[in-house]
Amino acid sequence: MRDNPFFSPPAVPSLEADDAVAPPAMVPPGVSRVPSAGVATPTQLHFARSGVITPEMAYVAAVEGCDPALVRSEVAAGRAIIPANIHHLRLQPMVIGKAFCCKINANIGNSALRSDRGVELEKLHTAVHHGSDTVMDLSTGADIHAIRQGIIDHSPVPIGTVPIYEALELVPKVEDLTIDHYLEVLERQAAQGVDYFTIHAGVLAEHVPLTTHRITGIVSRGGAIMAQWMTHHQEQNPLYTHFDEILEVCARHDASISLGDGLRPGCLADASDAAQFAELDTLGELTLRCWHREVQVMIEGPGHVPFDQIAMNVQRQQEVCREAPFYVLGPLVTDVAPGYDHITSCIGATMAGFAGAAMLCYVTPKEHLGLPDLEDVKQGVIAYRIAAHAADVALHRPGAREWDDALSRARFAFDWEEQFRLAMDPQTARAFHDASLPAEGYKSAKFCSMCGPKFCSMRITQDVRRIAGAPLISPALPSEQAHAPAQTPPVNGRA
């Protein structure tokens, strides 16, 4: 599975390559990114329904440690997606669905106030290096097309976008936007290799008045844009009325759709209201239309939700959208900790993952405050890897607990190097230890600077066992032996 140190994930291409020279292809052996000749709908869903196990399905089955037939059946049922645009040549396929390990996404991208292609590529590298399963480019500033091209060229993980952002670059004002502008951008991005699109087709004109009571109104950028357009024109959402045309573009390129939650709550007081659930009902309808056209689809979810409402929100989405994968932002469980919302949200994300969410969208410490930098990206990814792994452990997913048990045994044995190696963030674990005990001799010491040599409870426990004649190190449990690696596991994390 992806977050287990017994599996070595792919390396991200070097960011030092000349921009004029494409980095080495990252396609796994045997995985073709070119559609089969004569296939009008070269989507993973089409092949799965036809009984075909594609190279992508076989690859993700190897990563997940499961039977390829399970991957095919889950994709065919719409309970899982493999976001894999046929033009994303360096893609390492992955699967999103509740039958598999919980995934995480990292958002990067420039803004109108800060735009630097090199910085965004560094953010990509940071996100993938620390274990993000997908990355979304949410750029809204200058050079959107060029930045996105660089990200796709360098990314081994699926890339998502919100096409409405670039579409707005084609017109002076929101109300000048037409469906032709949108479809032009969608086709261009699909041909570039974008693996999934957030599309705010579920925000309908009749939903907008339901938000007037809210404290924070409409907090989704895409949702607010569509609300402004509909209010000005007094017409229905063109992304809804022209959804079949959107599906045609996505089907040609096997670009998955992530149905956007344009009316997600932006604070606890607005959670689980009529506007949110009215849009969710529309997303359930659009899910069926995606499946009818054999386009892969997942559903985006809230937002800011009180802890006691999270499981209900996940269950309701699963019922309304017939178990299509749920992709949640957070959710944040309190609104009073700006600067720490990677923590307030990963608490909610853990519960969402346990309740059945298939992918968790990270939140960084800069949420509500500013554009994330490299350190913010790292902190967000690590927080959400913790949340996803905690959900996997709680759901007894194969291989999840073995990682924890391996580190715990290394900790009790005072095998400091093995502890660092198995840590989710080895560099930070080592730095924290060495800050107070930097000498190399302390790497074999049976204590740390917290308790010192006299009060270390684990060292005392070993003394007690020695006196009692018991084994110093507890033998592995049968469940651990069953999943133990055949050889020393490789270093955890992305290269």
Side-chain angles (χ1 to χ4, degrees):
M1 60 187 288
R2 177 266 307 155
D3 61 357
N4 193 308
F6 304 159
F7 167 71
S8 183
V12 66
S14 170
L15 299 182
E16 298 176 359
D18 190 322
D19 287 344
V21 179
M26 298 298 294
V27 183
V31 175
S32 172
R33 305 301 305 133
V34 181
S36 301
V39 178
T41 306
T43 69
Q44 295 296 315
L45 179 54
H46 168 80
F47 290 120
R49 286 180 170 179
S50 302
V52 176
I53 294 176
T54 64
E56 290 84 358
M57 296 175 199
Y59 181 77
V60 300
V63 172
E64 296 284 336
C66 67
D67 190 326
L70 173 65
V71 177
R72 187 206 64 77
S73 64
E74 289 296 297
V75 172
R79 290 188 295 266
I81 69 170
I82 300 174
N85 186 310
I86 59 176
H87 307 294
H88 189 171
L89 302 181
R90 290 156 187 83
L91 179 69
Q92 301 285 347
M94 52 82 73
V95 63
I96 302 169
K98 65 180 181 180
F100 310 101
C101 70
C102 189
K103 304 304 192 298
I104 70 165
N105 170 72
N107 292 334
I108 63 175
N110 70 2
S111 73
L113 300 179
R114 293 182 60 187
S115 179
D116 187 305
R117 179 176 180 272
V119 169
E120 296 311 317
L121 290 179
E122 288 292 343
K123 289 181 186 177
L124 168 69
H125 189 276
T126 298
V128 175
H129 174 79
H130 288 287
S132 188
D133 297 290
T134 78
V135 171
M136 290 198 75
D137 173 18
L138 304 185
S139 293
T140 58
D143 301 321
I144 292 179
H145 183 83
I147 287 176
R148 184 177 58 252
Q149 188 65 65
I151 289 172
I152 294 171
D153 288 346
H154 287 87
S155 180
V157 303
I159 296 299
T161 67
V162 185
I164 194 72
Y165 298 163
E166 185 179 359
L168 285 180
E169 293 294 304
L170 304 179
V171 295
K173 297 177 295 185
V174 168
E175 50 266 34
D176 295 330
L177 187 68
T178 68
I179 190 62
D180 290 335
H181 293 127
Y182 188 89
L183 292 173
E184 174 189 337
V185 168
L186 191 71
E187 176 65 40
R188 180 162 60 245
Q189 293 193 11
Q192 259 188 312
V194 174
D195 299 291
Y196 65 94
F197 297 116
T198 292
I199 297 177
H200 298 90
V203 183
L204 302 185
E206 56 267 34
H207 299 162
V208 177
L210 300 176
T211 67
T212 56
H213 73 284
R214 286 181 164 187
I215 291 177
T216 55
I218 301 175
V219 298
S220 160
R221 290 187 294 200
I225 289 166
M226 299 319 302
Q228 181 179 343
W229 190 96
M230 290 185 289
T231 301
H232 176 84
H233 290 283
Q234 290 297 295
E235 294 179 13
Q236 190 54 277
N237 184 343
L239 305 185
Y240 177 81
T241 57
H242 293 268
F243 195 65
D244 287 343
E245 296 167 65
I246 291 171
L247 290 175
E248 289 301 316
V249 174
C250 292
R252 285 198 300 274
H253 304 276
D254 195 9
S256 301
I257 288 180
S258 183
L259 289 171
D261 53 339
L263 298 180
R264 68 174 178 267
C267 64
L268 300 187
D270 297 342
S272 308
D273 68 354
Q276 177 189 331
F277 289 143
E279 181 188 28
L280 179 61
D281 290 341
T282 306
L283 299 185
E285 171 203 333
L286 295 173
T287 297
L288 295 179
R289 292 171 66 180
C290 289
W291 287 343
H292 178 73
R293 189 57 186 84
E294 296 189 316
V295 171
Q296 300 185 96
V297 61
M298 60 183 170
I299 316 299
E300 296 185 12
H304 293 239
V305 181
F307 191 84
D308 61 305
Q309 296 180 21
I310 294 173
M312 176 274 291
N313 269 265
V314 176
Q315 180 180 2
R316 185 158 180 164
Q317 180 275 338
Q318 291 286 277
E319 293 172 353
V320 171
C321 299
R322 295 165 177 81
E323 297 187 281
F326 200 20
Y327 167 31
V328 299
L329 175 67
L332 284 72
V333 296
T334 180
D335 296 329
V336 298
Y340 299 92
D341 279 335
H342 59 311
I343 298 174
T344 66
S345 62
C346 81
I347 293 170
T350 304
M351 171 55 80
F354 177 65
M359 186 160 75
L360 313 174
C361 183
Y362 87 169
V363 174
T364 76
K366 288 281 178 59
E367 185 75 7
H368 306 111
L369 301 173
L371 190 68
D373 60 19
L374 294 177
E375 181 61 22
D376 297 321
V377 170
K378 175 187 173 181
Q379 293 299 323
V381 169
I382 295 296
Y384 273 69
R385 286 194 66 199
I386 293 170
H389 179 67
D392 288 340
V393 170
L395 291 168
H396 303 279
R397 286 180 170 139
R401 246 285 301 282
E402 280 68 23
W403 183 4
D404 298 77
D405 294 345
L407 194 146
S408 295
R409 294 182 186 285
R411 178 174 292 149
F412 189 75
F414 297 99
D415 187 341
W416 292 103
E417 291 295 341
E418 183 69 353
Q419 286 187 66
F420 301 150
R421 193 186 69 82
L422 289 171
M424 190 173 287
D425 180 6
Q427 183 178 5
T428 296
R430 181 183 295 275
F432 280 9
H433 173 274
D434 292 356
S436 53
L437 298 174
E440 190 61 29
Y442 288 117
K443 298 299 192 303
S444 58
K446 294 195 173 186
F447 59 88
C448 70
S449 62
M450 176 71 180
C451 297
K454 184 176 182 180
F455 290 98
C456 177
S457 57
M458 291 189 183
R459 194 269 306 157
I460 295 172
T461 299
Q462 291 186 12
D463 290 345
V464 171
R465 289 181 177 179
R466 187 178 294 106
I467 294 170
L472 295 184
I473 306 297
S474 175
L477 299 176
S479 62
E480 296 175 56
Q481 294 172 340
H483 297 287
Q487 56 187 7
T488 303
V491 175
N492 176 58
R494 297 189 186 273

